[in-house]
Amino acid sequence: DAKTTQPNSMESNEEEPVHLPCNHSTISGTDYIHWYRQLPSQGPEYVIHGLTSNVNNRMASLAIAEDRKSSTLILHRATLRDAAVYYCILSGSGNTPLVFGKGTRLSVIA
Amino acid sequence: GAGVSQSPSNKVTEKGKDVELRCDPISGHTALYWYRQSLGQGLEFLIYFQGNSAPDKSGLPSDRFSAERTGGSVSTLTIQRTQQEDSAVYLCASRVGGSAPYEQYFGPGTRLTVT
């Protein structure tokens, strides 16, 4: 699987938007961009995924660069419950296992 | 609906003992995965099952680790002759089968401590 690069940590104020970047310069044409997050003492949970177009769901938005070499996860209004490690993962279609990197640890300040 | 469940939630065992960890996937999910997460580390893939196909065991760290999935549902991960480096949180995930990029649903994990 292609490699992703994320900042080790980020900090945000509560109720402010958060932009979590991810670089994936070696992405292949068939790789989907997935985001998962892991809250303290819990298993990871799915956030969002996309291929080429920007995506929105109830949790977040995913902005994908035109050349697909980077993407940004956007939390529109951070809450204390959004404090977690966020993982950006590339995966082809199908059942292949996810390859987790170190992710970005997001801290949210009240 | 019910999510992925794992048992036990915590397991403390002595070095050299065997342990069994259980995963109940979401009903109807044909793909099942085991991962582990050591303290302060990322998640490491161990093994995955897809329907009736032979499992992908490429992530198992040694032959002391094995897993089975009975009847296409419940899975058991067995670690024989446990070592201290086996201490970790063992996570199970399941997903709908097929080629579309469906998300994986993770259980809460089993925290294994080898003393």
Side-chain angles (χ1 to χ4, degrees):
Chain A
D1 292 298
K3 184 178 173 60
T4 63
T5 304
Q6 300 178 252
N8 291 332
S9 62
M10 291 185 64
E11 199 173 82
S12 172
N13 294 317
E14 197 177 12
E15 299 192 3
E16 294 289 320
V18 181
H19 291 232
L20 297 164
C22 181
N23 288 320
H24 31 77
S25 59
T26 59
I27 189 171
S28 75
T30 57
D31 281 334
Y32 284 81
I33 302 159
H34 297 255
W35 284 82
Y36 282 75
R37 72 179 185 180
Q38 187 172 22
L39 280 65
S41 302
Q42 295 187 27
E45 66 173 343
Y46 167 82
V47 178
I48 200 166
H49 77 273
L51 183 61
T52 56
S53 302
N54 295 343
V55 184
N56 299 295
N57 67 20
R58 64 175 180 81
M59 290 182 70
S61 295
L62 177 60
I64 302 173
E66 195 169 335
D67 64 4
R68 300 213 322 130
K69 294 185 177 182
S70 65
S71 60
T72 302
L73 179 71
I74 302 165
L75 306 180
H76 295 286
R77 287 179 70 243
T79 70
L80 296 178
R81 293 178 58 187
D82 291 322
V85 178
Y86 287 78
Y87 297 98
C88 170
I89 301 167
L90 302 184
S91 181
S93 61
N95 295 311
T96 54
L98 299 173
V99 178
F100 289 81
K102 298 289 188 183
T104 296
R105 181 173 299 277
L106 175 67
S107 301
V108 179
I109 303 169
Chain B
V4 177
S5 61
Q6 294 186 245
S7 60
S9 55
N10 282 285
K11 177 71 176 179
V12 180
T13 190
E14 292 180 353
K15 178 181 172 181
K17 301 282 190 183
D18 297 353
V19 295
E20 286 189 350
L21 312 180
R22 177 187 168 107
C23 172
D24 285 85
I26 293 172
S27 177
H29 282 192
T30 58
L32 185 148
Y33 307 78
W34 284 97
Y35 298 85
R36 75 174 176 181
Q37 186 169 32
S38 303
L39 186 62
Q41 300 298 310
L43 281 85
E44 171 190 15
F45 160 71
L46 297 177
I47 186 171
Y48 97 88
F49 299 86
Q50 170 52 52
N52 296 321
S53 302
D56 178 347
K57 304 179 182 180
S58 60
L60 294 178
S62 79
D63 58 8
R64 296 186 294 106
F65 288 71
S66 63
E68 62 177 21
R69 188 177 186 192
T70 54
S73 181
V74 172
S75 178
T76 302
L77 177 70
T78 301
I79 309 173
Q80 295 179 310
R81 305 181 302 282
T82 52
Q83 303 295 312
Q84 288 186 330
E85 61 262 29
D86 299 334
S87 296
V89 176
Y90 288 81
L91 291 152
C92 176
S94 71
R95 56 159 275 175
V96 173
S99 60
Y102 299 114
E103 61 264 37
Q104 293 186 19
Y105 293 83
F106 285 80
T110 293
R111 180 176 298 279
L112 175 66
T113 303
V114 182
T115 62

